[in-house]
Amino acid sequence: MADTSPQPSRSRDLDKLLLRPGNLVGPRFEPGPETRDDLQAYARVLVVGAGGLGCELLKDLALTGFRNLDVIDMDRIEVTNLNRQFLFRLEDVGKPKAEVAAKRVMERISGVNIVPHFCRIEDKDISFYNDFNIIALGLDSIEARSYINGVACSFLEYDSYNNPREETIKPMVDGGTEGFKGHARVILPGITPCFECTIWLFPPQVKFPLCTLAETPRTAAHCIEYAHLIKWNEVHGGTAFDPDDPEHMKWVYNEALKRAELFGIPGVTYSLTQGVVKNIIPAIASTNAIISAACALETLKIATECSKTLSNYLSYNGTQGVHTKVTEFERDKDCLVCGPGVLIEVEPSVTLQKFIYLLEEHPKLWLSRASVSHQGKNLYLQAPTVLEEMTRSNLSQTLFNLMGKVTRDIVHVNGTATKNDQKISCMRKLLVVFKGTDGVADMDTAGGA
Amino acid sequence: MIKLFKVKEKQRELAENASGGAPIKKQTAGELRLHKDISELNLPKSCAMHFPNGKDDLMNFEVSIRPDEGYYMGGTFLFSFQVSPIYPHEAPKVKCKTKVYHPNIDLEGNVCLNILREDWKPVLNINTVIYGLYHLFTEPNYEDPLNHDAAAVLRENPKLFESNVRRAMAGGYVGQIFFPRCM
Amino acid sequence: MAEPKVKYDRQLRIWGEQGQAALEKSSICLLNSGPTGSETLKNLVLGGIGSITVVDGSKVEEGDLGNNFMVDESSIGQSKAKCVCSFLQELNDAVKAKFIEEYPEELIETNPSFFSQFTLVVATQLVEDSMIKLDRICREANVILIFARSYGLAGFVRISFKEHTVIESKPEHFLDDLRLNNPWPELKSLAEGIELNVQDPVAHKHIPYVIILVKVADEWAKSHGGALPSTREEKREFKELIKARMRGQDEDNYKEAIEASFKVFSPQGISSDLQQIVNDSSAEVDSNSSDFWVLVAALKEFIANEGGGETPLEGSIPDMTSSTEQYVNLQNIYQKKAEADIVAIERRVRSILKKIGRDSNSIPRTTIKSFCKNSRKLKICRFRLIEDEFNSPNLPELQKYLTDEDFSTAVGIYILLRAVDRFAANYNSFPGQYESAMEEDIPRLKSTASGLLNDLGCNGATLAEDLINEMCRFGAAELHAVAALVGGIASQEIIKLITRQFVPMSGTFIFNGIDHKSQLLSL
């Protein structure tokens, strides 16, 4: 079919998308070789998690024009990973996932640089995360998603019109799977809902009543949870249960089995015991591939605007036929994590006491009896007494000093607001700017690069 | 976006030549919400709170309850609370640190309170949990037992139950089991 | 050694050991080992598929290194099939992997019998003409065929097979089989032996709701000439009757009874979906009938006779507030009835087998048991020959899609994916494949698409200009992320087809990588 064969290029297929103009693209798409070259040279993506999704993401991103990747994961490779985490082999069991994954992808794709981080996500300074242009999440826990989301949103700043300042937006793509089902989403903090805005999308884990476990067990899972949550402590007092210790797991299994026999309950197996105790979510290669690929594609679009984007949540369900659905979720206007916060300008000489008083008078707040916290430090708490006493001495100090003499920063307050003659308790995010310091001037240079 | 990346890459190089900023502790969504819960607490006099790690760690605290009526009047019962970073998506983990003869609390300190497990909802708060715990002492119930023996005695013989509770609280044996004094 | 069991733990939790065994017995043939095909196989090899055969006549070029993880710099100039095959083998040494260095199009022409040795053929990146030929071959040989194609930011997946029957369809939400609308004598007598007005409050709040509902329904029937509540008013009254028996707000068993009272009102007998299956002409069995249809024939007899209009009982009950003893007793009653129903079905199966001249023990008891347990959830999927769809698509559907906002992009992609093949047949290259021809390719593709729409009977229908432009921009590129996604979907469907669990897609899945508003089209 070929008549005029083009220059052999590794970017043969991707070039069609990046070099050619199109009509269904983002407003700032600039087709041309420079876009491709800049993508390779400047775009830095962090992949969080080197498991089922993370392995796929690294491969997909590396074959989608990204050359500067980092990957962070605290786990070591286990045998049960091998049915889907295709960068790992049996002889890798016990090695750090991040390191092996990075090495394998670099071995196969020349020119790609992947820096592994074998540690917990909390171990890194927040500034570490600010070095990346986009964060891709391949995680299986709500806690970790919530943490990264909080970090990414902490970089977000708004201008004086409450519009997010573009250079402070840290885009995230997030994937998740369970069996034949999964989701992929794009989070542009300040523009699309953040993880916390829609945390209700994750149903809370089912927990059995303890008295059912103790008195009226009916199912195999009840017997297992009895052995795990009640019997273990009764017998082992001091030793904490370790789900990764096979001896511990076997003990729970045997106890569960005994209890099931006692009550005539069928169905306790070793596999079910592990499933219940570790809350194992079934996972297969195909679903991880689908969801990661969708995330990688969106990462490319965020970076280059070479196509319209997913707005903003894709769900996939392959159990009964194939169902895909795109939902445009909305932001929570009052979200404490990604919201703009109310701007408050104060003199550096203002004491905390005076600041609390100012909140009562502030026309956007009318907040009385405020408690104040700053970056995890509790500056003042109205209750309970023990904490009030511990924080009372701060009242006479200046807020400027208490906040470590920064020119501007976020503080969180909660107290009682009056709305339509009704008193309601509320929690607010404030952006405190100290007058006469350079924090004010900074505010007015909106837009930026 | 890529143009932006280019600028940021330059900034980064500059920053690396300067010095790294001080690490900042990240406040989780759970901490923010807990801060609200705690500062709005409205506890009965019989309940007191302790923060063993100081004012900046609200995620781990203790509550002591001194019931002023019922079987357990005069005793002091200590509970530990562990709050998750995704609170209130997940209920706080509560354990009773005082060994107690109680139908709904076992000898390991597990507590059978519906709002701590199957009926937890994000609209509930620390105040509701503490009231729930307080309620367990004023109205222990034998219908949801965790300590089977105590429940049976409460049900069959409330008088005996009462004296068992007194004996345990004063520091002594009920059957084969020793209870340290908690009055 | 238990290692494979550990390795496959996370998937055994989905399809069990039977599903795994089916995978390990199957042999898959892949046509074309670009990223779409390689990624499809990767997901199957990791899961422990029995054997793979990679068919591809091309050599690895520089450009392949940019979209295919299974080749690397050392592969350049070598057989792509060989390189891909050897990487796949590295992933799982339990899989038998081989390759054939030959172009699929030629194999289809010269050696059609080649395909009959496989359980399933996955054909990637084929053009229309080859798809049609291969489809006929596989249909004739009764080999499952699945097409997958990635094209720029678009793609499709399509299954073709005469008939796929599923016993374990495993729907996520399916009403339990408690028969509260039609309790059998043993359940009734168990309920009769339980006193609702028991003094002991602990006992009162631990009577399972199934018992409460059977008793209250019985009471109702006695005072209503044997009928159960049917009007809205009666249903409300029935719930009030339950509520009146509650002693406190914290009686979870009564709350559950009120919530589940609709199970008493729901109509007796089988669903319309199941009715359709037992009425299918295939249920008139002969010596050529599959095991599935023999079982359906037995089911049909059962429903008409000892089943009294109902299917065999599923036999399992959901967890509910109850004392352990009463729950276990209840479970036993359900299990006993289910076992009796299995015996009845088995008797019918054996006699039908004998009647049609087969060994009466040729269907194992475990299969019959599983069939009974899942008899309310049976699924039959039949797929049109792709040639029939291409020549005479379901016209009303097609016209509906073309004007429906939710479907217009997807159906546009569908038409354009066909149009590019026509284009290629006429002009010897795909639209936009070469930079130099972009200008003239756009109007050419537009007129090819219009011509195709006319041929299909959609005279005057047009596609969005932007989409036509976009399709030319794609220039037949096979992007890795799109290939991984399309291949991922293909492999997931293959797993469902081979394990015969869950339900495969019907129709053509159109992947829309522009805004992810993908659709399943039934043409």
Side-chain angles (χ1 to χ4, degrees):
Chain A
M1 233 175 244
D3 47 358
T4 54
S5 53
Q7 282 290 88
S9 158
R10 197 171 293 191
S11 193
R12 176 187 69 197
D13 295 74
L14 204 54
D15 277 356
K16 301 256 180 11
L17 209 59
L18 296 181
L19 270 52
R20 296 173 168 184
N23 298 342
L24 301 174
V25 297
R28 285 172 308 179
F29 175 49
E30 289 182 11
E34 216 180 281
T35 292
R36 176 196 61 205
D37 298 343
D38 286 355
L39 181 70
Q40 295 178 351
Y42 298 108
R44 300 192 68 211
V45 179
L46 172 67
V47 175
V48 185
L53 291 164
C55 284
E56 289 281 338
L57 276 168
L58 288 171
K59 169 197 63 133
D60 292 347
L61 291 169
L63 289 174
T64 303
F66 293 91
R67 289 199 164 174
N68 302 301
L69 302 170
D70 282 45
V71 59
I72 181 165
D73 195 313
M74 62 181 280
D75 286 339
R76 292 174 184 274
I77 297 161
E78 294 177 32
V79 177
T80 55
N81 302 146
L82 300 179
N83 80 321
R84 60 195 186 285
Q85 298 173 18
F86 70 99
L87 297 172
F88 310 142
R89 311 279 174 268
L90 193 56
E91 59 269 23
D92 299 325
V93 168
K95 294 181 194 160
K97 285 185 178 182
E99 289 170 10
V100 177
K103 182 174 139 257
R104 286 277 144 73
V105 174
M106 284 195 290
E107 275 167 9
R108 293 201 70 82
I109 307 173
S110 60
V112 170
N113 186 42
I114 304 178
V115 182
H117 304 271
F118 171 46
C119 62
R120 294 161 48 86
I121 49 176
E122 296 87 351
D123 291 344
K124 291 282 178 190
D125 282 356
I126 292 199
S127 58
F128 166 79
Y129 294 98
N130 206 11
D131 282 347
F132 299 97
N133 305 112
I134 303 171
I135 303 178
L137 283 72
L139 293 165
D140 58 3
S141 96
I142 304 176
E143 285 89 341
R145 281 194 182 89
S146 175
Y147 181 83
I148 297 288
N149 180 71
V151 171
C153 290
S154 72
F155 304 128
L156 180 65
E157 290 175 21
Y158 288 82
D159 65 18
S160 37
Y161 303 100
N162 270 356
N163 294 314
R165 292 167 62 172
E166 182 165 36
E167 69 276 21
T168 67
I169 295 172
K170 185 73 61 194
M172 284 174 278
V173 292
D174 170 51
T177 70
E178 176 174 358
F180 286 115
K181 296 189 288 186
H183 79 263
R185 69 190 294 188
V186 173
I187 299 177
L188 303 171
I191 298 173
T192 67
C194 82
F195 181 73
E196 225 61 54
C197 292
T198 53
I199 192 165
W200 48 268
L201 283 167
F202 289 82
Q205 204 191 321
V206 183
K207 289 192 167 157
F208 306 121
L210 287 179
C211 36
T212 295
L213 305 183
E215 272 310 288
T216 56
R218 298 175 296 268
T219 66
H222 290 158
C223 299
I224 293 163
E225 282 291 68
Y226 174 80
H228 167 220
L229 295 175
I230 296 176
K231 190 81 183 181
W232 175 272
N233 284 332
E234 217 175 286
V235 176
H236 295 93
T239 326
F241 176 78
D242 176 5
D244 293 322
D245 185 332
E247 290 305 313
H248 289 195
M249 192 62 81
K250 268 183 204 134
W251 187 90
V252 166
Y253 165 60
N254 284 328
E255 284 302 317
L257 207 57
K258 274 190 233 164
R259 190 164 176 81
E261 273 165 21
L262 181 68
F263 285 97
I265 298 167
V268 172
T269 61
Y270 189 67
S271 167
L272 183 70
T273 306
Q274 285 182 306
V276 170
V277 171
K278 295 170 116 174
N279 188 28
I280 292 175
I281 294 161
I284 52 174
S286 58
T287 318
N288 284 328
I290 295 164
I291 294 303
S292 302
C295 289
L297 204 50
E298 291 312 303
T299 309
L300 176 70
K301 294 179 189 176
I302 291 170
T304 63
E305 303 205 18
C306 69
S307 172
K308 290 210 283 190
T309 56
L310 165 66
S311 180
N312 43 41
Y313 189 104
L314 168 71
S315 54
Y316 184 91
N317 187 343
T319 52
Q320 310 292 305
V322 171
H323 293 277
T324 66
K325 188 174 182 328
V326 174
T327 312
E328 196 162 349
F329 285 113
E330 287 185 17
R331 291 180 67 201
D332 173 359
K333 297 247 175 332
D334 297 320
C335 180
L336 289 176
V337 178
C338 74
V342 176
L343 173 68
I344 303 225
E345 289 182 273
V346 294
E347 300 288 345
S349 59
V350 159
T351 60
L352 181 56
Q353 175 103 61
K354 172 79 175 167
F355 178 71
I356 290 171
Y357 172 74
L358 286 174
L359 301 180
E360 276 185 56
E361 305 284 292
H362 195 285
K364 278 190 186 158
L365 296 168
W366 307 116
L367 193 77
S368 60
R369 285 186 53 78
S371 298
V372 185
S373 72
H374 171 245
Q375 302 287 13
K377 274 201 179 127
N378 291 311
L379 303 185
Y380 185 68
L381 282 138
Q382 299 274 359
T385 321
V386 46
L387 288 174
E388 197 278 332
E389 283 167 358
M390 280 193 232
T391 54
R392 196 183 296 158
S393 63
N394 284 344
L395 287 174
S396 56
Q397 296 197 48
T398 64
L399 185 62
F400 187 61
N401 275 344
L402 288 169
M403 286 171 63
K405 300 188 178 168
V406 293
T407 57
R408 55 203 295 272
D409 208 352
I410 297 290
V411 300
H412 288 93
V413 295
N414 56 76
T416 314
T418 310
K419 235 184 198 169
N420 307 329
D421 284 338
Q422 279 208 320
K423 282 190 188 275
I424 50 160
S425 86
C426 70
M427 188 162 33
R428 299 299 290 265
K429 180 174 172 179
L430 308 180
L431 175 62
V432 177
V433 175
F434 292 104
K435 289 184 197 165
T437 67
D438 58 354
V440 182
D442 205 30
M443 276 303 297
D444 294 334
T445 49
Chain B
M1 271 288 178
I2 282 183
K3 274 198 173 161
L4 211 60
F5 298 171
K6 262 167 122 166
V7 174
K8 295 204 72 171
E9 184 68 9
K10 296 224 175 74
Q11 283 174 347
R12 199 174 73 90
E13 282 161 14
L14 286 174
E16 268 174 12
N17 292 333
S19 64
I24 307 165
K25 185 174 167 267
K26 180 74 206 87
Q27 213 166 359
T28 63
E31 274 178 279
L32 292 175
R33 162 63 194 266
L34 184 68
H35 186 263
K36 176 176 189 286
D37 277 19
I38 297 268
S39 66
E40 286 174 355
L41 280 176
N42 183 11
L43 296 178
K45 276 210 196 72
S46 47
C47 300
M49 295 184 80
H50 320 274
F51 293 86
N53 306 332
K55 68 176 177 62
D56 291 332
D57 180 6
L58 304 186
M59 305 298 264
N60 298 284
F61 59 88
E62 292 170 349
V63 174
S64 59
I65 298 180
R66 273 181 76 86
D68 45 18
E69 56 177 300
Y71 294 115
Y72 295 90
M73 195 167 76
T76 301
F77 305 94
L78 190 66
F79 290 87
S80 67
F81 279 62
Q82 248 188 323
V83 183
S84 128
I86 54 164
Y87 176 79
H89 191 72
E90 210 171 67
K93 287 194 174 71
V94 177
K95 285 249 175 180
C96 185
K97 309 301 274 185
T98 310
K99 197 169 180 185
V100 56
Y101 179 78
H102 193 293
N104 313 112
I105 302 174
D106 73 14
L107 300 174
E108 269 56 56
N110 295 307
V111 183
C112 186
L113 183 63
N114 61 338
I115 55 171
L116 286 177
R117 292 184 65 81
E118 72 275 17
D119 290 333
W120 172 258
K121 290 178 191 70
V123 294
L124 300 176
N125 57 36
I126 299 296
N127 221 42
T128 4
V129 173
I130 296 177
Y131 270 90
L133 294 174
Y134 183 76
H135 193 72
L136 281 183
F137 289 99
T138 54
E139 283 174 54
N141 81 75
Y142 58 79
E143 295 172 16
D144 301 316
L146 211 50
N147 180 336
H148 187 87
D149 296 340
V153 175
L154 173 61
R155 173 180 173 168
E156 307 298 337
N157 190 347
K159 277 262 177 290
L160 177 61
F161 179 76
E162 187 174 1
S163 80
N164 283 351
V165 169
R166 304 311 303 177
R167 189 178 323 143
M169 289 201 306
Y173 280 91
V174 177
Q176 302 292 308
I177 297 155
F178 181 75
F179 292 86
R181 183 179 170 84
C182 67
M183 298 188 70
Chain C
M1 192 158 136
E3 185 214 294
K5 229 176 149 175
V6 179
K7 177 161 124 184
Y8 297 135
D9 179 83
R10 298 301 185 267
Q11 65 197 46
L12 289 170
R13 289 172 192 277
I14 301 177
W15 52 69
E17 286 177 32
Q18 280 210 316
Q20 188 64 30
L23 287 175
E24 286 169 17
K25 262 193 291 191
S26 65
S27 60
I28 310 283
C29 173
L30 168 70
L31 303 186
N32 287 325
S33 56
T36 309
S38 321
E39 292 291 322
T40 306
L41 281 198
K42 180 203 77 190
N43 301 328
L44 297 172
V45 167
L46 287 166
I49 202 89
S51 75
I52 56 164
T53 303
V54 181
V55 180
D56 195 324
S58 67
K59 305 272 191 229
V60 177
E61 298 169 16
E62 181 82 21
D64 298 325
L65 268 48
N67 72 1
N68 195 341
F69 194 74
M70 322 272 154
V71 297
D72 63 12
E73 266 161 354
S74 68
S75 322
I76 289 182
Q78 296 195 52
S79 154
K80 200 189 286 178
K82 180 182 158 212
C83 297
V84 166
C85 186
S86 87
F87 180 83
L88 289 169
Q89 184 71 78
E90 221 184 277
L91 294 179
N92 192 344
D93 54 17
V95 175
K96 287 187 209 78
K98 61 177 182 177
F99 69 93
I100 293 173
E101 192 178 351
E102 201 172 336
Y103 285 100
E105 294 79 1
E106 283 167 20
L107 203 56
I108 291 167
E109 292 293 340
T110 60
N111 192 4
S113 64
F114 168 80
F115 297 99
S116 57
Q117 61 184 300
F118 301 104
T119 317
L120 183 148
V121 174
V122 48
T124 67
Q125 309 299 87
L126 282 192
V127 294
E128 189 161 320
D129 179 52
S130 302
M131 282 170 63
I132 288 172
K133 285 177 185 154
L134 178 64
D135 192 25
R136 276 196 223 125
I137 294 167
C138 289
R139 188 63 66 109
E140 186 76 16
N142 206 30
V143 170
I144 308 172
L145 177 58
I146 182 160
F147 297 106
R149 188 170 189 186
S150 311
Y151 196 101
L153 290 174
F156 81 86
V157 179
R158 162 73 146 83
I159 298 166
S160 185
F161 193 45
K162 186 162 175 257
E163 181 182 272
H164 177 71
T165 55
V166 191
I167 295 173
E168 294 176 73
S169 65
K170 300 189 170 175
E172 286 179 280
H173 308 285
F174 207 82
L175 197 58
D176 40 39
D177 193 14
L178 292 175
R179 295 290 158 85
L180 296 176
N181 55 356
N182 195 3
W184 68 98
E186 288 82 0
L187 177 59
K188 275 188 173 171
S189 73
L190 176 78
E192 273 160 25
I194 294 169
E195 175 54 61
L196 283 189
N197 281 327
V198 57
Q199 266 309 309
D200 178 3
V202 178
H204 192 262
K205 69 191 280 188
H206 283 99
I207 299 171
Y209 82 75
V210 166
I211 299 295
I212 297 172
L213 286 177
V214 170
K215 292 192 75 116
V216 178
D218 193 48
E219 201 178 296
W220 176 282
K222 276 184 186 137
S223 60
H224 290 78
L228 287 173
S230 62
T231 66
R232 179 190 282 239
E233 182 56 26
E234 283 175 339
K235 290 174 186 174
R236 197 190 56 76
E237 263 180 61
F238 184 81
K239 286 185 199 172
E240 287 301 323
L241 216 57
I242 303 170
K243 221 185 235 166
R245 294 180 163 279
M246 259 172 116
R247 289 201 190 140
Q249 281 310 304
D250 67 334
E251 292 195 310
D252 289 333
N253 56 338
Y254 275 89
K255 286 187 215 161
E256 288 166 6
I258 292 165
E259 236 167 76
S261 57
F262 74 94
K263 294 176 190 173
V264 173
F265 321 140
S266 64
Q268 297 181 354
I270 64 173
S271 71
S272 58
D273 282 356
L274 185 57
Q275 189 68 57
Q276 217 175 334
I277 294 175
V278 295
N279 287 348
D280 196 289
S281 60
S282 300
E284 310 296 327
V285 290
D286 58 34
S287 57
N288 294 319
S289 296
S290 67
D291 288 0
F292 179 85
W293 286 110
V294 171
L295 289 162
V296 172
L299 174 66
K300 188 177 186 175
E301 289 180 11
F302 176 92
I303 293 167
N305 296 287
E306 61 271 41
E310 304 276 3
T311 58
L313 189 75
E314 194 173 302
S316 52
I317 60 173
D319 186 27
M320 62 190 80
T321 301
S322 165
S323 67
T324 303
E325 193 195 349
Q326 294 203 29
Y327 184 82
V328 170
N329 287 343
L330 202 57
Q331 217 169 22
N332 287 338
I333 286 277
Y334 275 84
Q335 212 134 54
K336 266 201 192 121
K337 160 83 171 145
E339 269 158 28
D341 287 351
I342 292 169
V343 170
I345 292 270
E346 185 176 5
R347 208 165 37 232
R348 294 196 175 274
V349 170
R350 306 275 176 240
S351 103
I352 290 170
L353 284 170
K354 208 166 161 194
K355 210 178 333 173
I356 60 174
R358 282 180 57 183
D359 173 3
S360 66
N361 288 316
S362 59
I363 299 180
R365 185 149 207 272
T366 49
T367 307
I368 297 171
K369 218 168 149 176
S370 165
F371 179 84
C372 288
K373 210 170 156 43
N374 292 290
S375 59
R376 295 178 310 143
K377 306 167 187 170
L378 305 177
K379 285 275 176 198
I380 293 159
C381 312
R382 292 175 175 135
F383 305 90
R384 283 188 88 182
L385 264 175
I386 205 138
E387 186 175 17
D388 293 347
E389 176 184 321
F390 282 173
N391 290 338
S392 51
N394 181 335
L395 200 53
E397 280 295 299
L398 180 57
Q399 274 160 338
K400 197 188 84 194
Y401 292 145
L402 283 163
T403 52
D404 183 333
E405 208 192 313
D406 290 339
F407 284 88
S408 58
T409 304
V411 78
I413 292 172
Y414 175 84
I415 295 292
L416 288 168
L417 282 172
R418 293 192 55 194
V420 296
D421 285 351
R422 274 199 185 188
F423 185 108
N426 284 336
Y427 304 106
N428 274 331
S429 73
F430 288 106
Q433 191 170 3
Y434 302 108
E435 201 57 50
S436 51
M438 271 296 269
E439 290 281 308
E440 55 192 32
D441 281 358
I442 294 173
R444 278 176 175 172
L445 178 60
K446 189 180 170 185
S447 73
T448 308
S450 305
L452 176 60
L453 279 166
N454 277 342
D455 293 351
L456 297 176
C458 300
N459 301 41
T462 54
L463 301 178
E465 296 273 341
D466 285 346
L467 195 61
I468 297 170
N469 274 335
E470 198 68 2
M471 212 64 180
C472 285
R473 177 182 174 222
F474 295 161
E478 199 175 351
L479 302 167
H480 180 78
V482 173
L485 206 155
V486 169
I489 295 176
S491 58
Q492 197 170 94
E493 293 307 302
I494 292 170
I495 286 167
K496 292 191 278 183
L497 287 161
I498 291 177
T499 58
R500 303 178 74 106
Q501 294 178 24
F502 302 93
V503 183
M505 63 166 76
S506 56
T508 302
F509 180 80
I510 295 294
F511 171 66
N512 166 0
I514 301 164
D515 57 12
H516 286 279
K517 289 179 181 161
S518 304
Q519 291 289 358
L520 203 52
L521 306 179
S522 310
L523 295 167

